Amino acid sequence: MIITKSKLISGRNIQISGSKSISNRLLILEKLFKNIEIGNLSNSQDTQLLQKALSENSEVVDIHHAGTAMRFLTSYYSIQEGKTTILTGSKRMKERPIKNLVTALQNLGVEIEYLENEGFPPLKIIGRSITETTVDVPANISSQFITSLLLIAGKLEKGLEINLIGKVTSRSYIEMTLSILTYFGIENTFEGNSIKVEPFINHPSSIINYEVESDWSSVSYFYSFAAIGRETIHLKSFYKNSTQGDAAIARIYEDFFGIKTIFNEDEHQLTLQPIENFKFPEKIILDMNNCPDIAQTLCVTAVALKIPFEISGLGTLRVKETDRLSALNIELKKLGCETEITQSSIKSVHFTEPEENISIKTYQDHRMAMSFAPFCLIKELNIEDENVVEKSYPMFWEDLDKILVKE
């Protein structure tokens, strides 16, 4: 898909679908507790795949590329007493590690078998009633593994205590999960490295409504457009005190790129407003351990504005839809930025001129496509396999048409 060199139109309005992260958590809870009604559900492919899996009674469940679904369903099927489930996915999904979650469930007494390679999907899960009450989990793993356990914890006869061993990664996502449990009356505590969820035995019979906030991961790309194009953008539906970890982008983009976030709380609207005469930093040094999914967007923004950067806390990016650090290392070079990467960081080395004909590989990764798109404000570029955006933000290209005009 060719995106011609464009200008940003000031003051346009964008409505973003519900958060994928919140929607997928709610779908599991809805299935477990029955009395939940969800509004503004995400229209992402990942959410649709999870909905489909939960609505069917198949022995074999194929979730394709949906990593969140794989992790959440692993725990969900583990407590479906007497039911055997084969949980599988795409070729890339079979390369994404799941051993830490499986080990935790096995330690709780669940029978799970690897059908191909040790530590990776596909899995054979034989559901059972879990009576064990504590489990140790490495703290530096994906927060989705921990969330997967938390979502089923209230359904367990005696609840669950999770002891996190080491430094916690993506703590904000864990806290988001706990806040959702609290909303529905599932008591929990998170003290030090210990999380405890009480059994939710006497849950109310009346329907509990939950309106899903729009997705902060998706809005990150518009922060990038505003930072590069220096024009105002309006977006709905967002809340000032969001529980989403990627809401950190508001602070990050104000500090480093001069984009002020203005909330209209009555209309749940936020406005991205460039700060006049903002002085860009000589270098961006940032630990993104709590919001790694917006690192790609930040790197592209920094390259477009030629601001040196050094971003750490990105270890989980190695095991996403692709190895995102390696992908960034390759693709940023096409934009005119040589980088160095480690197992958990990326930094710019020097800037050059962009390639004459830029063609960005997406590596079957939705965030590669969307995070590189704002560079069209600098130079025409081709996004290969543009349909990967369906995974999280199917309307992305249509929404770009609303804010861009060909230069």
mmCIF file of all heavy atoms in Angstrom, residues 213 216 238-243 247 261 263 265 268:
data_model
loop_
_atom_site.group_PDB
_atom_site.id
_atom_site.type_symbol
_atom_site.label_atom_id
_atom_site.label_comp_id
_atom_site.label_asym_id
_atom_site.label_seq_id
_atom_site.Cartn_x
_atom_site.Cartn_y
_atom_site.Cartn_z
ATOM 1 N N GLU A 213 -13.546 1.539 27.422
ATOM 2 C CA GLU A 213 -12.840 2.743 26.965
ATOM 3 C C GLU A 213 -12.143 2.444 25.638
ATOM 4 O O GLU A 213 -11.721 1.312 25.374
ATOM 5 C CB GLU A 213 -11.797 3.149 28.008
ATOM 6 C CG GLU A 213 -11.004 4.395 27.629
ATOM 7 C CD GLU A 213 -9.850 4.681 28.594
ATOM 8 O OE1 GLU A 213 -9.460 3.773 29.339
ATOM 9 O OE2 GLU A 213 -9.356 5.814 28.579
ATOM 10 N N TRP A 216 -5.966 2.926 23.987
ATOM 11 C CA TRP A 216 -4.829 3.850 24.035
ATOM 12 C C TRP A 216 -3.671 3.392 23.138
ATOM 13 O O TRP A 216 -2.896 4.215 22.650
ATOM 14 C CB TRP A 216 -4.350 4.019 25.475
ATOM 15 C CG TRP A 216 -5.119 5.055 26.222
ATOM 16 C CD1 TRP A 216 -6.235 4.867 26.990
ATOM 17 C CD2 TRP A 216 -4.856 6.468 26.265
ATOM 18 N NE1 TRP A 216 -6.672 6.065 27.506
ATOM 19 C CE2 TRP A 216 -5.844 7.068 27.083
ATOM 20 C CE3 TRP A 216 -3.866 7.277 25.701
ATOM 21 C CZ2 TRP A 216 -5.874 8.431 27.346
ATOM 22 C CZ3 TRP A 216 -3.902 8.641 25.955
ATOM 23 C CH2 TRP A 216 -4.885 9.208 26.764
ATOM 24 N N PHE A 238 -12.380 8.422 25.478
ATOM 25 C CA PHE A 238 -11.265 8.217 26.397
ATOM 26 C C PHE A 238 -11.564 8.842 27.758
ATOM 27 O O PHE A 238 -12.348 9.786 27.865
ATOM 28 C CB PHE A 238 -9.982 8.817 25.817
ATOM 29 C CG PHE A 238 -9.491 8.095 24.600
ATOM 30 C CD1 PHE A 238 -9.888 8.491 23.336
ATOM 31 C CD2 PHE A 238 -8.655 7.000 24.717
ATOM 32 C CE1 PHE A 238 -9.455 7.811 22.201
ATOM 33 C CE2 PHE A 238 -8.215 6.317 23.602
ATOM 34 C CZ PHE A 238 -8.612 6.717 22.335
ATOM 35 N N TYR A 239 -10.908 8.293 28.769
ATOM 36 C CA TYR A 239 -11.099 8.754 30.135
ATOM 37 C C TYR A 239 -9.779 9.244 30.717
ATOM 38 O O TYR A 239 -8.718 8.648 30.459
ATOM 39 C CB TYR A 239 -11.680 7.637 31.005
ATOM 40 C CG TYR A 239 -12.949 7.051 30.423
ATOM 41 C CD1 TYR A 239 -12.951 5.787 29.833
ATOM 42 C CD2 TYR A 239 -14.140 7.775 30.446
ATOM 43 C CE1 TYR A 239 -14.107 5.261 29.285
ATOM 44 C CE2 TYR A 239 -15.305 7.245 29.906
ATOM 45 C CZ TYR A 239 -15.284 5.996 29.322
ATOM 46 O OH TYR A 239 -16.421 5.477 28.772
ATOM 47 N N LYS A 240 -9.869 10.303 31.510
ATOM 48 C CA LYS A 240 -8.656 10.938 32.036
ATOM 49 C C LYS A 240 -7.860 10.005 32.930
ATOM 50 O O LYS A 240 -6.636 9.955 32.856
ATOM 51 C CB LYS A 240 -9.033 12.215 32.799
ATOM 52 C CG LYS A 240 -7.818 13.053 33.197
ATOM 53 C CD LYS A 240 -8.234 14.409 33.715
ATOM 54 C CE LYS A 240 -7.007 15.280 33.984
ATOM 55 N NZ LYS A 240 -7.393 16.639 34.425
ATOM 56 N N ASN A 241 -8.533 9.271 33.797
ATOM 57 C CA ASN A 241 -7.845 8.370 34.722
ATOM 58 C C ASN A 241 -7.904 6.938 34.202
ATOM 59 O O ASN A 241 -8.447 6.044 34.852
ATOM 60 C CB ASN A 241 -8.453 8.483 36.118
ATOM 61 C CG ASN A 241 -8.298 9.881 36.686
ATOM 62 O OD1 ASN A 241 -7.212 10.458 36.645
ATOM 63 N ND2 ASN A 241 -9.388 10.447 37.193
ATOM 64 N N SER A 242 -7.352 6.724 33.026
ATOM 65 C CA SER A 242 -7.411 5.415 32.385
ATOM 66 C C SER A 242 -6.569 4.392 33.133
ATOM 67 O O SER A 242 -5.522 4.709 33.700
ATOM 68 C CB SER A 242 -6.898 5.532 30.943
ATOM 69 O OG SER A 242 -6.842 4.250 30.338
ATOM 70 N N THR A 243 -7.031 3.139 33.109
ATOM 71 C CA THR A 243 -6.256 2.038 33.698
ATOM 72 C C THR A 243 -5.347 1.375 32.676
ATOM 73 O O THR A 243 -4.573 0.479 33.032
ATOM 74 C CB THR A 243 -7.200 0.971 34.280
ATOM 75 O OG1 THR A 243 -8.048 0.470 33.237
ATOM 76 C CG2 THR A 243 -8.058 1.547 35.395
ATOM 77 N N ALA A 247 -1.727 4.470 28.246
ATOM 78 C CA ALA A 247 -2.098 5.869 28.486
ATOM 79 C C ALA A 247 -0.877 6.693 28.881
ATOM 80 O O ALA A 247 -0.918 7.931 28.845
ATOM 81 C CB ALA A 247 -3.172 5.959 29.576
ATOM 82 N N THR A 261 -2.071 16.869 25.967
ATOM 83 C CA THR A 261 -3.337 16.144 25.936
ATOM 84 C C THR A 261 -4.371 16.903 26.752
ATOM 85 O O THR A 261 -4.197 17.113 27.945
ATOM 86 C CB THR A 261 -3.174 14.727 26.510
ATOM 87 O OG1 THR A 261 -2.142 14.038 25.784
ATOM 88 C CG2 THR A 261 -4.469 13.947 26.403
ATOM 89 N N PHE A 263 -8.289 16.925 27.997
ATOM 90 C CA PHE A 263 -9.459 16.072 28.154
ATOM 91 C C PHE A 263 -10.731 16.899 28.257
ATOM 92 O O PHE A 263 -10.795 17.875 28.998
ATOM 93 C CB PHE A 263 -9.334 15.214 29.420
ATOM 94 C CG PHE A 263 -8.337 14.097 29.308
ATOM 95 C CD1 PHE A 263 -7.017 14.291 29.672
ATOM 96 C CD2 PHE A 263 -8.732 12.847 28.850
ATOM 97 C CE1 PHE A 263 -6.093 13.266 29.576
ATOM 98 C CE2 PHE A 263 -7.821 11.821 28.751
ATOM 99 C CZ PHE A 263 -6.504 12.025 29.118
ATOM 100 N N GLU A 265 -13.965 15.859 29.708
ATOM 101 C CA GLU A 265 -14.495 14.718 30.448
ATOM 102 C C GLU A 265 -15.985 14.512 30.214
ATOM 103 O O GLU A 265 -16.474 13.380 30.301
ATOM 104 C CB GLU A 265 -14.188 14.881 31.936
ATOM 105 C CG GLU A 265 -12.677 14.872 32.227
ATOM 106 C CD GLU A 265 -12.361 14.834 33.706
ATOM 107 O OE1 GLU A 265 -12.877 13.933 34.387
ATOM 108 O OE2 GLU A 265 -11.602 15.709 34.163
ATOM 109 N N HIS A 268 -15.971 12.628 26.980
ATOM 110 C CA HIS A 268 -14.957 11.568 26.914
ATOM 111 C C HIS A 268 -14.073 11.729 25.663
ATOM 112 O O HIS A 268 -13.755 10.771 24.980
ATOM 113 C CB HIS A 268 -15.609 10.182 26.921
ATOM 114 C CG HIS A 268 -16.489 9.943 28.111
ATOM 115 N ND1 HIS A 268 -16.035 10.114 29.406
ATOM 116 C CD2 HIS A 268 -17.784 9.552 28.208
ATOM 117 C CE1 HIS A 268 -17.020 9.833 30.246
ATOM 118 N NE2 HIS A 268 -18.085 9.509 29.557
#
